[in-house]
Amino acid sequence: GENVEQHPSTLSVQEGDSAVIKCTYSDSASNYFPWYKQELGKGPQLIIDIRSNVGEKKDQRIAVTLNKTAKHFSLHITETQPEDSAVYFCAAPKAAGNKLTFGGGTRVLVKP
Amino acid sequence: SQTIHQWPATLVQPVGSPLSLECTVEGTSNPNLYWYRQAAGRGLQLLFYSVGIGQISSEVPQNLSASRPQDRQFILSSKKLLLSDSGFYLCAWTMGSLSGNTIYFGEGSWLTVV
């Protein structure tokens, strides 16, 4: 089955700096890669996703890059703000399946 | 627009007592439904998923069960809770195959077994 690994597990950055989280996946047939942000005590919320027919996608201060050959994708947050502090999860589905496999999560702390 | 609701939001139950967590989705039909569990400070573990009424797939052997009595209703149950059942339970939904559709999560239910 799909195996998703996420690094780092914790990330502390100064406000205004950039944060990068990386994930690798094992199923080469996977073609959809979402990123979720989870604030304390709440359910994860989708912040950005990318499909396998593109290599990069941006939405204001966040961007996701995908390298299908190497089977990894990354989340980039620029000009970080204190409200970016949360746990971030990457995920990948089994090809044509009904299940999503999540990475272990990255706890991001943005220091003012 | 579609919305997902799950309840109760928090629950404290003694060991050996039963459990029932409910989840409903509004604004869509025939969704795929999921129950995830998240231990404190940990990742998301898929417990059950359902592609239709009465169709339940279990991902891991455990003390819990799931049912889907109606198209947009998903219930997580236990007859006798264990201490290890404590955690944050998340209901989620999506349309069709996950290969192209976003999964949406509810706000979660905190379960503490004492």
Side-chain angles (χ1 to χ4, degrees), chain B residues 1-4 25-28 93 95 104:
Chain B
S1 63
Q2 300 88 2
T3 57
I4 180 169
V25 179
E26 298 177 358
T28 187
W93 75 276
M95 289 303 298
Y104 298 97

Side-chain angles (χ1 to χ4, degrees), chain A residues 1-111:
Chain A
E2 178 74 280
N3 184 40
V4 178
E5 299 204 357
Q6 181 173 346
H7 299 281
S9 58
T10 59
L11 180 60
S12 182
V13 298
Q14 203 66 39
E15 182 178 358
D17 289 349
S18 296
V20 180
I21 305 170
K22 298 181 179 180
C23 286
T24 60
Y25 61 97
S26 59
D27 189 343
S28 58
S30 292
N31 57 8
Y32 172 65
F33 306 93
W35 284 91
Y36 288 84
K37 176 183 180 181
Q38 186 179 27
E39 297 179 347
L40 188 62
K42 297 185 178 181
Q45 298 295 311
L46 178 77
I47 55 172
I48 196 168
D49 57 16
I50 191 168
R51 301 181 194 279
S52 59
N53 57 343
V54 298
E56 184 177 9
K57 183 177 178 180
K58 290 183 180 180
D59 183 2
Q60 298 182 349
R61 294 188 297 107
I62 60 173
V64 56
T65 58
L66 171 64
N67 184 328
K68 286 216 71 180
T69 303
K71 290 190 286 186
H72 67 71
F73 56 111
S74 300
L75 177 71
H76 303 253
I77 308 173
T78 58
E79 300 174 24
T80 53
Q81 300 170 4
E83 54 264 38
D84 294 329
S85 296
V87 179
Y88 292 81
F89 291 96
C90 64
K94 285 185 177 181
N98 291 302
K99 294 180 283 186
L100 204 62
T101 301
F102 286 85
T106 298
R107 185 173 299 278
V108 174
L109 174 63
V110 180
K111 296 178 290 185

Side-chain angles (χ1 to χ4, degrees), chain B residues 8-68:
Chain B
T10 60
L11 197 59
V12 179
Q13 292 286 99
V15 169
S17 65
L19 170 73
S20 180
L21 299 179
E22 295 195 30
C23 172
T24 60
V25 179
E26 298 177 358
T28 187
S29 60
N30 197 30
N32 293 334
L33 297 172
Y34 307 82
W35 279 110
Y36 283 85
R37 177 170 59 199
Q38 187 175 31
R42 304 291 295 277
L44 297 157
Q45 179 188 36
L46 179 62
L47 301 177
F48 301 95
Y49 73 97
S50 171
V51 299
I53 296 174
Q55 301 179 60
I56 309 294
S57 295
S58 174
E59 286 297 293
V60 293
Q62 59 200 309
N63 184 43
L64 302 169
S65 62
S67 61
R68 186 170 177 174

Side-chain angles (χ1 to χ4, degrees), chain B residues 59-103:
Chain B
E59 286 297 293
V60 293
Q62 59 200 309
N63 184 43
L64 302 169
S65 62
S67 61
R68 186 170 177 174
Q70 300 181 43
D71 180 45
R72 291 170 292 170
Q73 184 184 26
F74 206 22
I75 298 171
L76 184 69
S77 304
S78 174
K79 293 182 179 178
K80 291 185 178 182
L81 284 168
L82 306 172
L83 287 174
S84 58
D85 291 325
S86 294
F88 190 46
Y89 289 83
L90 290 155
C91 182
W93 75 276
T94 191
M95 289 303 298
S97 167
L98 274 173
S99 63
N101 292 289
T102 301
I103 187 169

